[in-house]
Amino acid sequence: MLINSCEFAEDVLYDLAHDVWVRLSEDGVATVGLNSYMAWLAGRVSSVYFKPIGTRVGRGSVIGSYEGPKHFGVVRSPLGGEIVEVNHTLTSDPKLLQNDSYHAGWFAKLRLKDTNLEGAQLVSLERARKHLESRVSELKAHCYKAVPDHELYAFGVECSAVLVQLNEYIQRAPIGTVVHVASDEPTADVEMVRWAKQTGQLLLEKRVEDGVHHYLVKKVM
């Protein structure tokens, strides 16, 4: 489900006080992750830190942290238990916290102290929706389909000039590179769609916010 362009999974439970989610298994292990909007607050996440495996934690205890150019944040446990596994893939690819928040971007796994969750402060997406809408709005979180590797801001200039810069960058960049283009040019939408068709590159996303056109372009060839 999308809420203000931020993705939320329907198969997890949400701890609204700590901005995290949890996926429970039958063997008493809980997978914990960071809500998508919190990861996006950091900008491009550059580093992730975990508390050691074997650490015992209570609800609200810090189980790790993440950092980007715009924000340093901590990840708090939604339940009491022991850390039995952490997602080391995030160390080498921290963008997974944003690109795949509810699956490959999971943070840690806990063996629960008490598998009886009666009274636990966890709610379904349906019950959490209004709170999440308010939280995304309050934080002014901007989520995208992929973390950009490069950004081009072009205000007060023609879109054609921006496309010259975009072409130059794309030609040098490796396949898989994602570029965020922002423009206030009224014709930007037509020009960007045409550019993507002509070059064969993938237009991942487009949106307009406060009169500014935003595009995510991925180099695929």
Side-chain angles (χ1 to χ4, degrees), residues 39 42-49 65-72 90-98 147:
R44 181 176 178 175
V45 176
S46 56
S47 62
V48 175
Y49 164 79
S65 62
Y66 59 100
E67 185 173 6
K70 299 179 182 178
H71 176 71
F72 170 86
L90 294 178
T91 304
S92 58
D93 190 5
K95 290 191 297 182
L96 285 174
L97 272 180
Q98 296 151 303
V147 179

Side-chain angles (χ1 to χ4, degrees), residues 13 15 20-33 54-60 63 76-85 108-122:
L13 297 174
D15 179 344
V20 296
W21 58 265
V22 58
R23 183 178 285 114
L24 303 170
S25 66
E26 295 180 354
D27 60 357
V29 173
T31 301
V32 177
T55 300
R56 296 183 181 277
V57 297
R59 171 174 162 76
I63 59 176
R76 297 185 181 276
S77 177
L79 298 162
E82 178 185 346
I83 299 176
V84 294
E85 188 177 349
K109 294 185 179 183
L110 308 175
R111 184 163 301 281
L112 300 182
K113 181 179 179 180
D114 185 359
T115 55
N116 182 2
L117 298 181
E118 185 176 351
Q121 298 179 46
L122 301 173

Side-chain angles (χ1 to χ4, degrees), residues 23 26 56 89 91 109 122 145 158 168 180 182 192-193:
R23 183 178 285 114
E26 295 180 354
R56 296 183 181 277
T89 304
T91 304
K109 294 185 179 183
L122 301 173
K145 289 186 177 179
E158 293 184 0
E168 291 176 350
H180 171 212
M192 286 299 300
V193 171

